[in-house]
Amino acid sequence: MHQIQHLQQLVNQAIAGKTFKGEPAELYDPINYIMSLGGKRLRPVLLLMATDLFSGSVLKALEPAVAIELFHNFTLVHDDIMDKAPLRRGKPTVHAKWNENVAILSGDVMLVEAYRLMMNTEDQVLRQVLDVFNETAAGVCRGQQIDMNFEQEDGITIPEYLEMIRLKTAVLLAASLRIGALLGGAAADDAGKLYKFGESLGIAFQLQDDILDVYGDPEKFGKQTGGDIIANKKTWLLLKSRELAEGLDEEELNYWFNESDAGPSEKVRAVTAVFDRLGIRTLAEAEMNDHAEHALQQLEAIPVPAERKKLLREFAEQLLVREN
Amino acid sequence: MHQIQHLQQLVNQAIAGKTFKGEPAELYDPINYIMSLGGKRLRPVLLLMATDLFSGSVLKALEPAVAIELFHNFTLVHDDIMDKAPLRRGKPTVHAKWNENVAILSGDVMLVEAYRLMMNTEDQVLRQVLDVFNETAAGVCRGQQIDMNFEQEDGITIPEYLEMIRLKTAVLLAASLRIGALLGGAAADDAGKLYKFGESLGIAFQLQDDILDVYGDPEKFGKQTGGDIIANKKTWLLLKSRELAEGLDEEELNYWFNESDAGPSEKVRAVTAVFDRLGIRTLAEAEMNDHAEHALQQLEAIPVPAERKKLLREFAEQLLVREN
């Protein structure tokens, strides 16, 4: 069995060894740039763990693992244009460093190259793997569009929010696991259980992100807390608090939501106080734990010795106690 | 054997029957919109003709044919953002009708959906077909980036220009034919000849476009001539005239190239007069004919009865005497 850090290393080596070369440079430099910015490599590591789970080996899944990371980075490049984000992992985004046209087009090439790398599979699973990849890629785009629509919409419900984060975040984690399982020779049913494990894990992961943005330790979290509150982001915490708030709490939430001249730290303090009065943190943690629980049940149900599933369980637990 | 118009009808019916449905609407409405704007459906018709050539049937190639048209329209949607084009086929472009974010993201989904449709092949050709598609998709992106770079560059040579139009225009026509051939069960060698036929035909087609922009009959061409001259577009005609011009002609080309306050019709008249003195039209037509000739030789060399190749020859000839 491989250690998590070992798998991360393996992925990083594979990425470092795969310089995207080609003319013109404007098209390929941004790919190498964004891929070299690092990150936790969650998706390729999950893919490799899934292959390992069913086949006891990971090397044959290395190119599809890089493909998943490349796809993920394609979505970051295009999302950053749409969100007008200046920074990604502390460095200038592709459209900021080059320009929007370069970011659109090199993003397009990344998607194509992701397909190319994803095809490094045995013939008998090629179609299945690409079916999962197509479905997932369309789902991630849908999630991004729904997220953008939410900015303009009022009255978003918690189920609608959960469906958005399922598409935007969870299905790609889930697909990484399903593809890894297929590459490892898993039966369709078992690959499906692993998919559901990833889906629930991904939702729990995003909910934790929402919680940490308000309640995380800034030093461990790596950024100032309260960013979502300042940006009026419709997170699970905000939506739940609006659902529950009455009287003065409701009035206060409305006031801060519409007050654009307020000092940011004052706004964060006041909105967090409302959250606290309504017990939002506990509720959010309960919802997160439900999804995490459901994830682990799916993992349990896969007919593989518990010993072999230890790493995935460990990984899930690490993911959900992280503070960064 | 199928008639060209019949094949166009078949493609249009297949496109009309394939409404892209899904949530949210912002993602799928633009796909149906751009696909319904029409066009000559060159690429899918070429694909179907190639399948027909080797198998005597076209129906099994219909979904990949739609995939090629969808891919082509994806490139139009993203290119129109980059070129800040307000109109496409006389109608508002996607980014003008919705916004840039919608155009980026619905374009991304079109690329994914193109892969999905392209996979409607028999298992034994799936990998080959997708290899061609990947290679081509990356090539088209490269062509677009080179074209954008040309706007900022001086001293572009004719061979560099031909390589740019090969990537930006010709390889997709060529790939349509190669994929159609593979779907029709062609040997790799014959599919390769048909690819080269398409590549040379595509270059000839683009050169004709350059010629028509200056010398076309505005009524038949469907738009005012001289647009490339007004926009200082580095077409084959401009590059060749710069290569040949001396003395007063050279001075005049430079003057008009750098003169942004000139009346457009005055500029078109003056630059066209320089082209005329240098015999650019004849030279451009000779270059175009060379490529067309080379295309037809490739077609000749395919070991299929001449009778069966009549339609492709006819199509190539129609394409190159069009005035619109």
Side-chain angles (χ1 to χ4, degrees), chain A residues 30-320:
Chain A
I31 307 181
N32 297 318
Y33 171 75
I34 188 87
M35 289 295 280
S36 74
L37 291 188
K40 288 184 288 293
R41 312 300 192 191
L42 286 186
R43 294 152 194 84
V45 167
L46 282 171
L47 191 152
L48 295 179
M49 286 197 286
T51 307
D52 191 32
L53 182 65
F54 293 102
S55 73
S57 114
V58 301
L59 286 182
K60 64 177 169 181
L62 212 47
E63 301 249 302
V66 175
I68 277 287
E69 185 68 8
L70 193 56
F71 173 81
H72 173 58
N73 278 269
F74 142 73
T75 67
L76 299 181
V77 169
H78 277 193
D79 285 3
D80 283 343
I81 307 172
M82 298 183 229
D83 301 341
K84 305 201 183 307
L87 295 176
R88 164 71 58 191
R89 295 178 181 133
K91 296 277 169 58
T93 47
V94 169
H95 68 95
K97 192 175 161 77
W98 283 271
N99 59 55
E100 283 198 11
N101 287 357
V102 162
I104 292 172
L105 206 54
S106 62
D108 292 345
V109 174
M110 288 171 84
L111 178 51
V112 172
E113 293 294 334
Y115 273 99
R116 205 198 301 250
L117 285 173
M118 190 55 84
M119 287 180 59
N120 284 302
T121 70
E122 286 163 28
D123 282 343
Q124 74 264 29
V125 293
L126 177 64
R127 188 179 288 277
Q128 280 172 284
V129 164
L130 291 179
D131 281 344
V132 176
F133 193 52
N134 287 332
E135 181 72 24
T136 305
V140 173
C141 292
R142 290 177 56 211
Q144 168 68 3
Q145 185 65 52
I146 296 173
D147 194 19
M148 290 195 294
N149 289 354
F150 278 5
E151 289 173 28
Q152 318 300 329
E153 278 169 33
D154 259 332
I156 297 150
T157 64
I158 295 273
E160 284 168 347
Y161 178 75
L162 291 173
E163 174 63 5
M164 184 277 283
I165 63 174
R166 187 184 73 83
L167 288 167
K168 190 168 171 173
T169 304
V171 295
L172 187 56
L173 297 175
S176 304
L177 288 160
R178 195 199 286 260
I179 289 171
L182 293 170
L183 296 173
D189 188 46
D190 294 339
K193 288 198 181 84
L194 209 51
Y195 183 89
K196 285 189 179 154
F197 162 74
E199 202 176 42
S200 292
L201 185 67
I203 293 171
F205 180 69
Q206 184 58 52
L207 288 173
Q208 179 176 249
D209 223 55
D210 289 2
I211 297 167
L212 287 176
D213 193 82
V214 179
Y215 293 106
D217 176 341
E219 279 199 15
K220 294 189 194 157
F221 189 47
K223 54 181 176 181
Q224 210 48 44
T225 50
D228 289 347
I229 291 175
I230 295 166
N232 280 342
K233 207 160 167 239
K234 288 155 190 157
T235 65
W236 194 95
L237 285 76
L238 182 69
L239 296 174
K240 195 68 185 179
S241 71
R242 282 183 167 180
E243 195 183 302
L244 297 178
E246 293 178 338
L248 214 60
D249 283 335
E250 189 180 2
E251 212 175 306
E252 200 167 358
L253 280 179
N254 285 334
Y255 170 80
W256 289 107
F257 195 79
N258 295 307
E259 177 62 55
S260 50
D261 293 337
S265 58
E266 200 191 349
K267 177 172 176 173
V268 172
R269 247 194 325 271
V271 173
T272 306
V274 178
F275 286 176
D276 289 344
R277 279 196 295 277
L278 297 169
I280 294 295
R281 180 180 185 169
T282 310
L283 293 170
E285 283 172 349
E287 171 102 47
M288 179 186 96
N289 287 334
D290 277 354
H291 292 279
E293 195 79 13
H294 186 253
L296 292 174
Q297 281 164 10
Q298 297 295 323
L299 187 61
E300 290 302 309
I302 297 171
V304 162
E307 175 61 23
R308 298 188 56 77
K309 294 186 273 187
K310 227 180 88 184
L311 196 67
L312 272 166
R313 200 163 42 239
E314 196 186 303
F315 189 77
E317 283 158 2
Q318 276 186 23
L319 210 60
L320 296 180

Side-chain angles (χ1 to χ4, degrees), chain B residues 241-286:
Chain B
S241 71
R242 281 185 168 180
E243 193 183 303
L244 297 177
E246 293 179 338
L248 214 59
D249 283 336
E250 189 180 1
E251 213 176 303
E252 200 166 358
L253 282 179
N254 285 334
Y255 171 79
W256 289 109
F257 195 78
N258 296 307
E259 179 61 56
S260 50
D261 293 336
S265 58
E266 200 191 346
K267 177 171 177 173
V268 171
R269 250 197 322 274
V271 173
T272 306
V274 177
F275 286 177
D276 289 346
R277 282 196 293 278
L278 297 169
I280 295 296
R281 181 181 185 166
T282 311
L283 293 170
E285 284 171 348

Side-chain angles (χ1 to χ4, degrees), chain A residues 23-24 26-28 74 78 81-82 100-102 104-105 108-109 111-112 115-116 119 121-123 126-127 130-131 134-135 137-138 141-142 144-146 148-149, chain B residues 23-24 26-28 74 78 81-82 100-102 104-105 108-109 111-112 115-116 119 121-123 126-127 130-131 134-135 137-138 141-142 144-146 148-149:
Chain A
E23 291 289 327
E26 288 84 353
L27 212 51
Y28 292 94
F74 142 73
H78 277 193
I81 307 172
M82 298 183 229
E100 283 198 11
N101 287 357
V102 162
I104 292 172
L105 206 54
D108 292 345
V109 174
L111 178 51
V112 172
Y115 273 99
R116 205 198 301 250
M119 287 180 59
T121 70
E122 286 163 28
D123 282 343
L126 177 64
R127 188 179 288 277
L130 291 179
D131 281 344
N134 287 332
E135 181 72 24
C141 292
R142 290 177 56 211
Q144 168 68 3
Q145 185 65 52
I146 296 173
M148 290 195 294
N149 289 354
Chain B
E23 290 289 327
E26 288 85 353
L27 211 52
Y28 292 94
F74 142 73
H78 278 194
I81 306 172
M82 298 183 228
E100 283 199 11
N101 287 357
V102 162
I104 292 172
L105 205 53
D108 292 344
V109 174
L111 179 51
V112 172
Y115 272 99
R116 206 199 299 250
M119 286 179 60
T121 71
E122 286 163 27
D123 282 344
L126 176 64
R127 188 179 288 277
L130 291 179
D131 281 345
N134 287 332
E135 182 72 25
C141 292
R142 290 178 56 213
Q144 166 70 2
Q145 184 65 51
I146 296 171
M148 291 196 293
N149 289 353

